[in-house]
């Protein structure tokens, strides 16, 4: 007899099969290269996206600066017969009348042109500030990318050391069973393997943390556990001289260019405030109509202008001039800061390069050779466990110093590109 619920069960099983097949056939996302990470950060980083709104705000201010004054329309009713007596000898206020008036301000001193000039310079400043934010973001992404690469190297080193200790533990267990080794020696080797296992766990946490930070910088809101990077750690030998880097920074640093453009904006602001001090004329026209006992139509034309006795915009003019001097001081301070940044970055580059070359040329091969020889001697019973562990730790410290030196060298190269403005070309 057929079970009444067999069809829903078959459908559920079929759905589970499809889901399982989809999971099994799903491909792991391809590792991210450095160029792809930088490109994704420029497209999706939330802070950079928020900074881009400064350009649209500046565009709106340019639109506002181009607007002309609105004309003013006025309608009025005078001498209304609110007592109902009309225009008589008892009510000599006058006949009822109404009027329409139009006033328009004639701006003088090219105020509109000056406003547009200030707004356009302010937009150029906002664009350069956005470019400087981009420069800093690119450096952060490059440094985070190097952190992930260095964490991967540290994890691989810890796993290699753990495999070597696990092999020793297996050999020691076999030698204990054969009566060729004391039980305490096996316990010591297991404790050493446990320490290296903890090192692997620490390296895994460091790698996950570095990946999470990189994903946050490139604008990924959900941290993917299978995220990975690809590509070698940056390594270059030829480099631009320090004097050329200073000259390059003078031409391409966006923050310095933004201050120089802000100086142009402040000069335009001075011209605007001087123009604001000039009086504007108001032209008016009025149509007047009388009704009741008397009828009449008239047209009036008026001209008015304020008398610049007290307020000639002196305060704003002085404020704009002092602001211009302040920007000049900021430019000199930033030029000095940039020179110091380039000098410091160049020192870091030189130190990391010398350290990397020293580790490669003297320590790396010797540490690996000592560990291999000591491991071979320990397996043959010619060396003690303490000697093997010392050789392993020396190799681990040397390799870790080598990996750190490679990472520091790559960071110094990225830093030089950033402080000189080479990474971001306006």
């Amino acid at each position: 007899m057929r079970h009444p619920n067999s069809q829903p069960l078959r459908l559920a099983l079929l759905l589970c099969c499809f889901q399982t097949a989809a999971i099994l056939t799903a491909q792991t996302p391809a590792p991210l290269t450095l160029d792809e990470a930088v490109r994704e950060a420029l497209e999706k980083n939330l802070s950079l996206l928020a900074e881009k709104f400064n350009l649209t705000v500046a565009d709106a201010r340019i639109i506002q600066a181009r607007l002309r004054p609105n004309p003013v329309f006025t309608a009025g009713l005078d001498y209304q017969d609110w007592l109902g007596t009309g225009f008589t000898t008892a009510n000599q206020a006058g006949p009822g009348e109404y009027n329409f008036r139009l006033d328009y301000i004639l701006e003088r001193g090219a105020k509109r042109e000056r406003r547009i000039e200030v707004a356009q310079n302010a937009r150029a400043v906002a664009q350069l500030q956005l470019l400087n934010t981009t420069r800093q973001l690119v450096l952060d992404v490059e440094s985070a990318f190097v952190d992930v690469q260095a964490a991967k190297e540290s994890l691989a080193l810890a796993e290699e050391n753990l495999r070597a200790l696990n092999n020793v533990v297996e050999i020691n267990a076999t030698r204990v069973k054969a009566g060729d080794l004391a039980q305490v020696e096996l316990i010591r080797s297991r404790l050493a393997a446990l320490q290296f296992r903890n090192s692997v766990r620490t390296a895994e946490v460091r790698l996950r943390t570095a990946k999470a930070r990189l994903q946050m910088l490139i604008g990924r809101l959900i941290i993917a556990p299978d995220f990975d990077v690809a590509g070698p750690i940056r390594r270059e030998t030829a480099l631009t001289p320090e004097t050329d880097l200073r000259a390059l920074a003078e031409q391409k640093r966006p923050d310095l260019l933004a201050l120089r453009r802000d100086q142009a904006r402040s000069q335009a602001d001075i011209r605007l405030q001087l123009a604001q001090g000039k009086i504007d004329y108001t032209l008016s026209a009025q149509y007047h109509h009388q009704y009741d006992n008397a009828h009449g139509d008239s047209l009036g034309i008026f001209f008015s202008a304020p008398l610049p006795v007290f307020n000639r915009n002196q305060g704003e003019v002085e404020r704009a001039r002092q602001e211009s001097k302040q920007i000049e001081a900021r430019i000199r301070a930033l030029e000095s800061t940039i020179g110091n940044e380039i000098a410091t970055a160049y020192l870091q580059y030189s130190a990391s390069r010398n350290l990397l070359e020293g580790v490669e040329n003297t320590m790396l091969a010797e540490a690996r050779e000592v560990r291999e020889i000591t491991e071979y001697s320990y397996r043959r019973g010619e060396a003690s466990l303490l000697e093997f562990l010392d050789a392993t730790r020396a190799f681990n410290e040397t390799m870790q110093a080598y990996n750190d030196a490679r990472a520091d060298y790559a960071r110094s190269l990225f830093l030089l590109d950033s402080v000189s403005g080479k990474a971001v070309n306006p």
Side-chain angles (χ1 to χ4, degrees):
M1 182 177 180
R2 193 174 188 181
H3 196 279
N5 295 329
S6 59
Q7 186 174 0
L9 288 175
R10 286 200 302 271
L11 291 176
L13 290 174
L14 185 62
L15 181 60
C16 291
C17 291
F18 278 124
Q19 291 177 347
T20 304
I23 294 174
L24 293 176
T25 56
Q27 296 182 354
T28 303
L32 204 65
T33 63
L34 178 58
D35 292 337
E36 293 171 345
V38 171
R39 190 181 307 115
E40 188 171 345
L42 297 181
E43 294 174 356
K44 298 180 180 180
N45 182 268
L46 298 180
S47 299
L48 187 62
L49 292 177
E51 190 78 14
K52 289 180 180 179
F53 280 101
N54 288 336
L55 292 180
T56 56
V57 172
D59 290 334
R61 287 174 178 166
I62 293 177
I63 295 174
Q64 182 64 30
R66 289 173 177 169
L67 300 180
R68 300 178 185 274
N70 289 323
V72 179
F73 174 75
T74 306
L77 294 173
D78 289 336
Y79 308 113
Q80 300 305 300
D81 185 15
W82 66 282
L83 292 176
T85 59
F87 178 53
T88 62
T89 56
N91 180 23
Q92 299 182 6
E97 59 185 41
Y98 60 84
N99 55 75
F100 304 103
R101 178 174 176 139
L102 189 66
D103 299 272
Y104 186 73
I105 298 176
L106 297 179
E107 288 188 318
R108 297 179 63 243
K111 292 184 178 66
R112 179 171 175 268
E113 289 77 7
R114 300 286 81 80
R115 289 196 303 267
I116 295 174
E117 184 183 9
V118 171
Q120 289 175 342
N121 278 284
R123 189 193 185 281
V125 171
Q127 189 172 11
L128 289 168
Q129 289 175 344
L130 174 62
L131 195 62
N132 188 57
T133 303
T134 302
R135 176 184 69 89
Q136 295 171 348
L137 175 61
V138 169
L139 178 60
D140 291 340
V141 172
E142 291 169 342
S143 299
F145 196 91
V146 173
D147 290 342
V148 175
Q149 292 176 315
K152 289 179 65 177
E153 295 287 346
S154 298
L155 178 59
L157 175 62
E159 290 176 344
E160 179 184 354
N161 291 329
L162 180 60
R163 284 193 298 270
L165 262 294
N166 286 335
N167 291 335
V168 170
V169 170
E170 293 176 1
I171 294 174
N172 287 348
T174 303
R175 293 174 63 186
V176 168
K177 290 180 181 179
D180 190 28
L181 188 69
Q183 182 71 25
V184 66
E185 194 77 2
L186 176 59
I187 296 175
R188 289 176 179 173
S189 59
R190 286 176 176 172
L191 288 175
L194 181 60
Q195 292 177 351
F196 280 97
R197 188 176 295 110
N198 293 335
S199 299
V200 170
R201 299 292 179 266
T202 303
E204 289 174 346
V205 172
R206 178 186 175 191
L207 178 59
R208 287 196 296 268
T209 303
K211 287 183 177 180
R213 179 173 180 268
L214 178 59
Q215 292 181 78
M216 180 194 68
L217 285 173
I218 64 179
R220 297 192 179 184
L221 301 180
I222 300 177
I223 305 301
D226 53 354
F227 173 82
D228 199 5
V229 301
I233 298 179
R234 184 179 177 183
R235 178 73 180 271
E236 298 172 9
T237 54
L239 189 68
T240 307
E242 183 178 352
T243 54
D244 295 342
L245 291 177
R246 290 177 182 269
L248 191 65
E250 289 283 334
Q251 300 174 358
K252 293 189 175 183
R253 273 288 291 260
D255 50 350
L256 182 59
L257 297 179
L259 273 181
R260 290 173 178 169
R261 196 56 184 262
D262 198 28
Q263 175 70 3
R265 181 206 57 79
S266 69
Q267 294 297 323
D269 191 25
I270 293 176
R271 292 189 289 270
L272 173 61
Q273 298 309 322
L274 290 173
Q276 294 286 7
K278 296 183 178 181
I279 61 174
D280 296 329
Y281 300 147
T282 302
L283 293 179
S284 307
Q286 176 176 290
Y287 167 73
H288 193 92
H289 174 73
Q290 290 182 335
Y291 60 94
D292 256 347
N293 297 329
H295 296 276
D297 297 291
S298 62
L299 180 66
I301 298 176
F302 305 90
F303 171 83
S304 62
L307 299 177
V309 177
F310 303 109
N311 183 3
R312 296 184 300 276
N313 206 36
Q314 305 96 315
E316 285 299 309
V317 172
E318 184 62 22
R319 187 269 310 162
R321 287 173 176 168
Q322 295 302 321
E323 186 181 81
S324 178
K325 294 179 181 179
Q326 182 186 45
I327 295 174
E328 289 179 1
R330 288 177 177 173
I331 291 175
R332 292 193 298 269
L334 183 57
E335 288 175 344
S336 177
T337 301
I338 289 176
N340 184 59
E341 287 179 355
I342 291 178
T344 303
Y346 208 90
L347 286 175
Q348 293 179 5
Y349 158 76
S350 301
S352 59
R353 182 188 62 182
N354 294 333
L355 178 60
L356 178 59
E357 292 176 352
V359 173
E360 283 181 335
N361 297 333
T362 59
M363 300 173 60
L364 194 61
E366 295 178 359
R368 182 179 293 275
E369 183 179 2
V370 168
R371 192 194 70 163
E372 292 176 354
I373 293 175
T374 307
E375 182 180 358
Y376 178 76
S377 301
Y378 177 73
R379 291 184 178 185
R380 297 188 58 181
E382 299 174 356
S384 65
L385 178 63
L386 182 59
E387 292 174 336
F388 170 69
L389 292 178
D390 287 341
T392 302
R393 291 191 178 95
F395 170 75
N396 181 66
E397 292 175 358
T398 303
M399 286 299 300
Q400 189 60 50
Y402 173 64
N403 293 334
D404 292 342
R406 292 171 61 201
D408 290 340
Y409 183 74
R411 293 189 192 97
S412 68
L413 293 175
F414 288 127
L415 181 60
L416 282 174
D417 290 342
S418 179
V419 297
S420 65
K422 183 179 179 180
V424 181
N425 188 347

